[in-house]
Amino acid sequence: MFARSLWSNRDFSVFWAVQALSEVGNAFSLVALPLLVLHTTGSAAQMGLLTAVAGAASLLTGLVGGAWADRFDRRRLLMLCDAARLVLYGAIPVCWALSPQVWLLYVVMALASVFEMLFKITYVTAVANLVDKDQIVAANGRLEATNAIAYIAGPALAGVVSGFFGPTAAVAINAGSFGISLVGLVFIRLRPAARPSADEAASKATRAHDLRSGFRTGAAFLWRTPVLRALTVLLTVTTFLSLGMTDVFIYHLRHGLGQDERTVGYVLALGGVGTCVAAAATARLRRSWGFGRCWLGAMSLCSVSVLVLGGTGNVSVAAVTICLYSFGMALAGVCSMSLRQQVTPDHLLGRVTSAFWTIHGSLAPLGAALLTALVGRLGTRGPLTGVAVVFLAVVVAAAFTPVRQRHPEQTATQPARARPTDPAAPSEESHGDDTEARR
């Protein structure tokens, strides 16, 4: 009955379908842009620098994106982001047909990352307005599963397209996918967002022109919620190292193992299989094991996978380890995102999501640039061994925090003990009204 109820939700089904198609395009870009940089410059450091530029632009957007997602029409924001990315990514193949310009990639990636971050934040809040509260984990799992399927087909097809027609053709397909998403969003309707309490509404009105207030409000909620505070700190460490991992995978396969573009696409597609399996299994695993075992086990798997990858010279072993790494990252990610959606009131979800991503991603651009530079100079074994050790340290540290709990959402949803004079604090009434709102 639960499954039929979610399947019968027309707006969610349309949203789900067009986002799956859009993610196929994103998967093309995942392979095509690093290959385009590698073809043009031959530098792993340049790949990491491009990723770092995109990450830095995302961080700046995160400071205000949550407030925009909470204050403005969420469907229109999603449509705006798709339209902007359609134009930006479409400019790359047009320019390359005339005269290749590497600087354009940095400009496009910086601007596109602004709209990418805003889309992601609004995407999280929009799902909470599409499904019922008790369907959040299942809806997230379904979205992540189909997105993962897209990342199975996408990289493989992108490798083939890049091999025959060049990486710019794959970028053009990515641009077109945003057009598909834009058209689909026209045909859905979101439920009205939950109204904030009178105190919160008054506080928001007095700070309407302060763009930083949205970030402060979200950060304050994270700090007062122990499990979210712990996750934010732990993910700040892991994201520092994980943002550049796809670039490292591609460089390792191309230069370390001497594989061609099509093999790169196939291996990254296998990584998508790991993500797909994790997304499909997350709801069941979390019910059986609880949050703590799922998250700690997922990060442990990532640590072992990265360690093995750094020491292997066999492409088949590399493919399996990338698949297992993707499984672990997806399992941890869906659990973390669902927990945040469950414990955050709907009218704060955009700001909390924005603050969460901005804080834990604050060091990621530097990490991506540093990791790829080290890989380009030293090879993959030493840097990836270091990454594996840090991931394991994160698991050990998490075992001494509320992250280890089976059901942290049950304690996290208790009324927050915020000072009445704290302007960033939602009232106890608003905190208790909506504790299971919906990456």
Side-chain angles (χ1 to χ4, degrees):
M1 181 174 182
F2 170 80
R4 287 197 300 272
S5 178
L6 190 58
W7 277 106
S8 66
N9 185 328
R10 173 193 169 278
D11 288 326
F12 175 76
S13 296
V14 173
F15 182 82
W16 174 44
V18 297
Q19 292 314 308
L21 292 174
S22 181
E23 285 301 318
V24 173
N26 278 333
F28 269 67
S29 182
L30 178 73
V31 176
L33 285 174
L35 284 176
L36 189 58
V37 174
L38 199 58
H39 278 185
T40 307
T41 68
S43 170
Q46 285 275 18
M47 296 166 65
L49 184 59
L50 185 65
T51 300
V53 168
S58 295
L59 288 177
L60 294 176
T61 308
L63 294 174
V64 296
W68 291 345
D70 285 337
R71 295 176 187 176
F72 301 116
D73 185 282
R74 291 169 175 173
R75 184 173 71 99
R76 290 181 180 178
L77 278 178
L78 292 172
M79 294 171 67
L80 171 65
C81 293
D82 277 336
R85 290 182 292 172
L86 168 62
V87 173
L88 288 168
Y89 282 106
I92 294 177
V94 172
C95 177
W96 242 253
L98 301 174
S99 176
Q101 301 290 336
V102 175
W103 64 265
L104 178 67
L105 297 179
Y106 289 92
V107 174
V108 168
M109 286 301 293
L111 294 175
S113 294
V114 170
F115 292 101
E116 177 78 16
M117 182 63 153
L118 182 57
F119 185 93
K120 287 180 177 179
I121 294 169
T122 311
Y123 174 101
V124 170
T125 64
V127 174
N129 303 137
L130 285 170
V131 303
D132 296 331
K133 298 175 185 179
D134 60 355
Q135 296 174 322
I136 286 175
V137 175
N140 284 341
R142 183 171 297 176
L143 285 165
E144 290 301 316
T146 51
N147 289 350
I149 292 173
Y151 275 86
I152 296 172
L157 292 174
V160 173
V161 170
S162 296
F164 282 105
F165 305 106
T168 54
V171 176
I173 292 174
N174 181 36
S177 72
F178 294 121
I180 294 174
S181 177
L182 175 62
V183 172
L185 290 171
V186 173
F187 296 99
I188 70 168
R189 293 293 181 271
L190 303 181
R191 301 170 187 171
R195 294 283 88 187
S197 66
D199 289 343
E200 172 69 7
S203 175
K204 184 164 63 177
T206 61
R207 298 170 295 162
H209 300 292
D210 183 359
L211 294 178
R212 294 173 301 175
S213 65
F215 175 81
R216 290 201 305 267
T217 301
F221 184 87
L222 290 173
W223 183 256
R224 289 193 305 272
T225 310
V227 65
L228 296 185
R229 181 171 67 235
L231 281 172
T232 303
V233 173
L234 295 169
L235 286 172
T236 299
V237 177
T238 60
T239 308
F240 174 80
L241 299 170
S242 63
L243 180 63
M245 287 298 291
T246 299
D247 294 332
V248 174
F249 293 160
I250 293 174
Y251 184 82
H252 182 56
L253 291 167
R254 287 285 286 132
H255 286 264
L257 302 181
Q259 303 300 311
D260 59 19
E261 287 91 346
R262 281 175 290 180
T263 302
V264 171
Y266 296 147
V267 171
L268 292 184
L270 186 59
V273 173
T275 302
C276 181
V277 172
T282 296
R284 177 173 296 180
L285 289 175
R286 187 173 169 185
R287 284 195 301 269
S288 300
W289 296 355
F291 178 87
R293 288 183 179 179
C294 284
W295 199 90
L296 295 174
M299 294 309 303
S300 298
L301 180 61
C302 290
S303 175
V304 173
S305 300
V306 170
L307 181 64
V308 174
L309 177 64
T312 186
N314 184 289
V315 66
S316 298
V317 175
V320 172
T321 57
I322 290 173
C323 178
L324 293 175
Y325 174 86
S326 299
F327 177 93
M329 279 292 176
L331 177 58
V334 174
C335 286
S336 172
M337 180 173 59
S338 300
L339 176 66
R340 189 172 65 255
Q341 292 164 326
Q342 288 175 318
V343 305
T344 305
D346 184 64
H347 67 277
L348 288 176
L349 187 53
R351 284 166 284 179
V352 170
T353 298
S354 176
F356 183 80
W357 284 347
T358 300
I359 294 170
H360 84 66
S362 58
L363 300 177
L366 175 62
L370 178 62
L371 180 61
T372 52
L374 289 174
V375 167
R377 178 179 291 270
L378 304 175
T380 56
R381 181 165 191 164
L384 289 183
T385 299
V387 171
V389 171
V390 174
F391 280 2
L392 182 59
V394 165
V395 173
V396 173
F400 295 93
T401 73
V403 172
R404 72 180 185 276
Q405 296 176 1
R406 183 179 179 85
H407 297 293
E409 68 275 11
Q410 294 179 355
T411 56
T413 55
Q414 297 302 315
R417 292 185 238 177
R419 297 190 305 270
T421 57
D422 184 356
S427 66
E428 291 188 359
E429 178 183 358
S430 69
H431 189 185
D433 283 344
D434 187 4
T435 59
E436 291 186 343
R438 186 203 197 276
R439 107 147 356 146

